[in-house]
Amino acid sequence: MKNNDNSFFSRPWVMRGMSLVLALFMFFYVNGSFLRQTTRQGNQSALMSDKSQTIKVPLQVSIDSKRYVVTGYPQYVKIKLTGPSALVTTTVNTQNFKVYADLSDLGTGQHRVKLKVSGLNSELTSSIDPETITVNIQSKKTITVPVSVQLSSKTVADGYEVGTAKSSMANVQVSGARSEVAKVAKVVAFVNVPHTATATFTRQVTLQAVDKNGQTLNVVVTPDTLSVTVPITSTKSSSSSDSGSTSGSSSSSSGSSDTETSSATSSRQSSASSQTETRSSSSQSASSSASN
């Protein structure tokens, strides 16, 4: 019996090929592990790196709004956020914090106040632009003012006329800083009247408090809108009525004239009859005297 020394796997070139395949497998496995680890570390590094972003946010004012009115402060301010990239991005998207000016311990007059921020994550740092603002605090005043309706035009289509407009409320309240409220001359409800209007219409209009020069004032009108009804009537019907009245009067006058004429004729006929009877009686008396 022969030894199987010349089997397939014992040949030199087969052993070399298998060694090469095994070496390549080990090479790709090791490099793949290294690449995955490097990617994970890179992503983690990107998430943990810091970044800064500046956004514009509304400024809130803390004060007793029933007693005071604040003027002079900006509506928006800028804030720069710095911290972990993911946290900065989330905060910018949600804006779950506020920038405010605390005026609760201040009285009337002009004050310079430093702005504050609240609700921000402790891992983030911030800087506000501007850091301080100047505000003017005044006592609040409320008055009652009648509503004045103003029409854009009183001329409409031919054969129609504009009546007296009427608002749904006669008086409204005006609130604001004492100095501004003192300037209020009237509250205006301006209504645009179309030149083609042929029927009564109602509009919902915004009210404006103005001074004696017609300039709009920085006050609050309550309610700030109301409805105004503008009557549009036809002048054709009234003209027809006038014509009818004139015709009726003429007919009455004519009827009266006819009656008067008839009465005069009757009177003349009666007078003539009386004269005839008188002459006849006189003739009879004369005949009787001659016979005697």
Side-chain angles (χ1 to χ4, degrees):
M1 187 174 182
K2 295 181 179 180
N3 289 332
N4 197 14
D5 292 337
N6 295 326
S7 65
F8 178 79
F9 291 103
S10 63
R11 296 176 181 177
W13 64 270
V14 174
M15 296 298 293
R16 293 191 191 99
M18 293 179 63
S19 299
L20 179 60
V21 171
L22 183 61
L24 291 174
F25 174 78
M26 293 299 294
F27 173 79
F28 287 116
Y29 177 79
V30 171
N31 279 277
S33 299
F34 177 76
L35 181 60
R36 287 192 297 271
Q37 183 178 2
T38 302
T39 303
R40 284 196 299 268
Q41 290 176 349
N43 292 338
Q44 185 176 4
S45 177
L47 291 173
M48 296 302 294
S49 64
D50 287 351
K51 86 168 188 175
S52 298
Q53 187 169 347
T54 301
I55 58 174
K56 185 166 67 173
V57 296
L59 175 62
Q60 300 183 28
V61 176
S62 176
I63 198 171
D64 185 357
S65 59
K66 293 182 179 180
R67 297 179 56 195
Y68 301 104
V69 174
V70 183
T71 58
Y73 64 93
Q75 187 176 1
Y76 292 92
V77 294
K78 293 181 180 179
I79 182 170
K80 182 179 180 181
L81 303 175
T82 303
S85 179
L87 189 56
V88 169
T89 301
T90 301
T91 305
V92 168
N93 291 336
T94 59
Q95 294 192 17
N96 55 353
F97 64 93
K98 70 175 183 178
V99 178
Y100 67 99
D102 187 5
L103 311 178
S104 56
D105 295 332
L106 302 177
T108 58
Q110 195 173 68
H111 305 274
R112 190 161 183 82
V113 185
K114 185 175 182 180
L115 300 184
K116 301 178 181 179
V117 60
S118 65
L120 205 59
N121 190 288
S122 59
E123 294 185 43
L124 297 175
T125 59
S126 64
S127 60
I128 307 171
D129 181 25
E131 295 182 353
T132 59
I133 59 172
T134 301
V135 297
N136 186 18
I137 303 176
Q138 297 186 48
S139 298
K140 187 176 183 179
K141 185 178 181 181
T142 301
I143 60 174
T144 301
V145 182
V147 177
S148 175
V149 179
Q150 288 188 1
L151 304 180
S152 62
S153 174
K154 291 188 178 181
T155 303
V156 288
D158 291 340
Y160 296 90
E161 63 180 5
V162 182
T164 302
K166 185 178 181 181
S167 61
S168 58
M169 294 183 66
N171 301 294
V172 293
Q173 288 190 329
V174 177
S175 302
R178 189 175 295 273
S179 60
E180 284 291 292
V181 172
K183 299 177 185 177
V184 176
K186 58 184 176 180
V187 172
V188 180
F190 183 81
V191 183
N192 183 30
V193 180
H195 290 292
T196 56
T198 58
T200 299
F201 64 89
T202 301
R203 293 281 188 274
Q204 193 76 15
V205 296
T206 301
L207 301 178
Q208 294 182 346
V210 298
D211 61 14
K212 61 182 181 180
N213 298 320
Q215 298 297 318
T216 304
L217 297 170
N218 184 23
V219 293
V220 178
V221 181
T222 306
D224 59 348
T225 62
L226 50 72
S227 59
V228 177
T229 300
V230 181
I232 306 293
T233 56
S234 173
T235 57
K236 298 176 183 178
S237 58
S238 59
S239 298
S240 300
S241 298
D242 292 342
S243 299
S245 299
T246 303
S247 176
S249 299
S250 299
S251 299
S252 297
S253 299
S254 177
S256 299
S257 299
D258 292 343
T259 302
E260 290 175 357
T261 302
S262 178
S263 298
T265 303
S266 299
S267 297
R268 286 195 296 271
Q269 289 176 352
S270 298
S271 177
S273 298
S274 297
Q275 290 176 0
T276 302
E277 289 177 357
T278 302
R279 286 196 297 270
S280 177
S281 297
S282 299
S283 298
Q284 289 177 359
S285 297
S287 298
S288 298
S289 297
S291 298
N292 291 331

